[in-house]
Amino acid sequence: MNVLLIEDEIELSDGIVHLLKKSKFNVDAVYDGEQGYLSGLSDRYDVIVLDIMLPKMNGFEVLKKLREEKVTTPIIVLSALGQTSDKVRGLDLGADDYLAKPFQPEELIARIKALLRRKTDVINEDILTIGDLTFNASSYELICNNKSIKVSLKESEILKYFLARPNFVVTKDELIIKVWGYDSDAEYNNIEVYISFLRKKLQFIGSTVSISTVRGAGYRLEE
Ligand code: CA
């Protein structure tokens, strides 16, 4: 999961980065509004954490411009102002959540996780397809031509995650967080085992879709 942190107070920024990394997030920290806006345009972030009082361009402007550019990435606004009017203004401009300073860093992490859960809930279709492969998420069946095979609950969750982002690299950390949960102690070899099950099942039904290994990065579902 990738987080963009736009915060000019170095000490606070470092603290948040440290905590996010501990929770297995990738974080990019930038220190002014202009850089924040430019970085925010990229669609590689799952969440943006945005301070209001920033050099070069304030957070409200950054928020407004990102939404004008149709960037839909969830945004949590941080503000020292902490007044109701600022909160309303932030939410009005398209923020998804608001946190008043000073806050406990754990509170921010909890808000980020809540936003991510909301985001993934949206991808919840029962029939998913790619190439010659169909996955029925309600019957846990992988289907190709006339052949089909059942998958387990975990395999199903892994598949759904891959099918939502075909041809994109999915890291092992992402899979741990999304499938096993933030607080799990699942390890890379747990994932490797499930990936090998899935590969065997894809082969069994004769699909041209496969899960390839991207060395040093993770996996990719491809036709
Ligand atoms: Ca600031």
Side-chain angles (χ1 to χ4, degrees):
M1 293 290 100
N2 298 313
V3 179
L4 173 64
L5 174 62
I6 311 170
E7 166 62 69
D8 61 318
E9 285 166 55
I10 306 283
E11 214 168 294
L12 178 60
S13 172
D14 287 351
I16 296 174
V17 167
H18 175 74
L19 208 70
L20 284 171
K21 284 189 172 159
K22 243 174 64 184
S23 297
K24 301 194 182 106
F25 290 97
N26 298 316
V27 197
D28 290 336
V30 299
Y31 307 96
D32 68 67
E34 206 171 270
Q35 191 55 50
Y37 166 68
L38 292 173
S39 304
L41 288 174
S42 132
D43 60 4
R44 64 181 298 260
Y45 297 107
D46 302 290
V47 175
I48 297 173
V49 179
L50 173 66
D51 187 30
I52 292 299
M53 306 292 274
L54 288 166
K56 294 192 182 168
M57 191 190 289
N58 74 44
F60 288 129
E61 260 179 278
V62 174
L63 179 60
K64 184 162 172 272
K65 288 182 72 163
L66 285 176
R67 293 303 187 229
E68 277 170 5
E69 295 291 335
K70 310 276 180 252
V71 172
T72 58
T73 312
I75 296 177
I76 300 178
V77 166
L78 302 179
S79 174
L81 306 171
Q83 291 162 358
T84 318
S85 59
D86 286 313
K87 178 175 176 175
V88 169
R89 185 164 172 211
L91 296 175
D92 246 14
L93 289 173
D96 297 84
D97 202 356
Y98 183 97
L99 199 53
K101 288 179 180 174
F103 55 85
Q104 293 296 319
E106 290 77 10
E107 167 87 31
L108 176 61
I109 306 283
R111 301 282 185 108
I112 290 175
K113 288 177 180 174
L115 271 185
L116 288 171
R117 269 196 299 276
R118 237 152 71 192
K119 192 185 170 199
T120 47
D121 284 348
V122 176
I123 310 162
N124 200 13
E125 290 164 38
D126 281 349
I127 307 288
L128 300 157
T129 57
I130 171 180
D132 61 5
L133 181 72
T134 299
F135 176 55
N136 184 330
S138 43
S139 67
Y140 296 98
E141 256 177 320
L142 263 180
I143 305 146
C144 175
N145 299 321
N146 296 321
K147 277 185 144 180
S148 74
I149 191 165
K150 290 267 188 191
V151 300
S152 69
L153 178 63
K154 276 271 183 290
E155 289 167 349
S156 158
E157 286 173 21
I158 294 171
L159 274 171
K160 280 200 268 187
Y161 194 70
F162 274 114
L163 284 162
R165 37 188 76 63
N167 301 312
F168 277 87
V169 173
V170 170
T171 67
K172 289 178 184 174
D173 285 331
E174 252 176 281
L175 287 173
I176 288 180
I177 291 169
K178 285 299 178 184
V179 177
W180 276 265
Y182 291 98
D183 306 318
S184 89
D185 46 8
E187 289 174 1
Y188 285 174
N189 57 10
N190 296 103
I191 292 169
E192 286 155 14
V193 167
Y194 279 98
I195 295 290
S196 91
F197 287 159
L198 283 172
R199 282 175 170 156
K200 283 182 188 144
K201 290 183 178 181
L202 287 169
Q203 259 174 12
F204 176 80
I205 56 171
S207 174
T208 58
V209 174
S210 65
I211 300 170
S212 63
T213 300
V214 182
R215 192 169 292 193
Y219 301 104
R220 184 163 50 210
L221 185 76
E222 53 195 20
E223 284 177 66

